[in-house]
Amino acid sequence: MDYLSYKTFVWPQNPHTYKEELVREPKFHTQDGVTYFDKMGDLQRTITGSGVFYGEGAYDSYKALMALFGSPTPGNLEHPIWGIFYCYFTGLEMTQEPEENCISYRFTFTGALANGVVPT
């Protein structure tokens, strides 16, 4: 199986969990005291997951992911099964006290349009 990747980073071990949440908020308008349905809003995508980096390169892998988190620009998140999504890297959390050659983490990505705008 291939590995999850974001921009230049390829996960050395795939995350244990990977969740995509898709939401479309309906849009309404009110005229003369009556509320009417206009349309469905844009698709909003949030991707979360968690995993463990382990082995001799565990700390280096987490540091590389932290460096990408510092980038303010969106990029391609590529899942080996679900495809490619243009996203901002919006959350990274270390979830335990680091141990030798082992570090647990959680991440969040927020989907963006091709022009970098996040749908609302």
Side-chain angles (χ1 to χ4, degrees), residues 13-120:
Q13 303 95 11
N14 275 326
H16 296 257
T17 65
Y18 178 92
K19 174 183 166 186
E20 287 187 38
E21 181 178 1
L22 305 174
V23 176
R24 292 184 78 157
E25 298 291 334
K27 305 293 183 184
F28 301 93
H29 76 274
T30 302
Q31 182 178 346
D32 299 327
V34 179
T35 301
Y36 298 94
F37 173 80
D38 271 339
K39 62 181 179 176
M40 290 302 293
D42 293 327
L43 178 71
Q44 300 168 28
R45 181 185 311 268
T46 303
I47 299 169
T48 57
S50 62
V52 177
F53 293 128
Y54 54 87
E56 288 186 21
Y59 289 110
D60 292 336
S61 293
Y62 189 77
K63 286 178 187 177
L65 206 51
M66 279 192 342
L68 276 180
F69 182 74
S71 171
T73 59
N76 288 331
L77 177 68
E78 186 169 353
H79 188 281
I81 296 171
W82 304 118
I84 300 171
F85 304 105
Y86 195 57
C87 301
Y88 286 96
F89 194 179
T90 54
L92 181 62
E93 178 183 3
M94 186 184 326
T95 57
Q96 73 175 33
E97 194 67 33
E99 299 175 14
E100 186 175 341
N101 298 330
C102 180
I103 187 166
S104 296
Y105 63 90
R106 278 194 285 246
F107 60 79
T108 303
F109 291 91
T110 300
L113 302 175
N115 62 1
V117 172
V118 174
T120 57

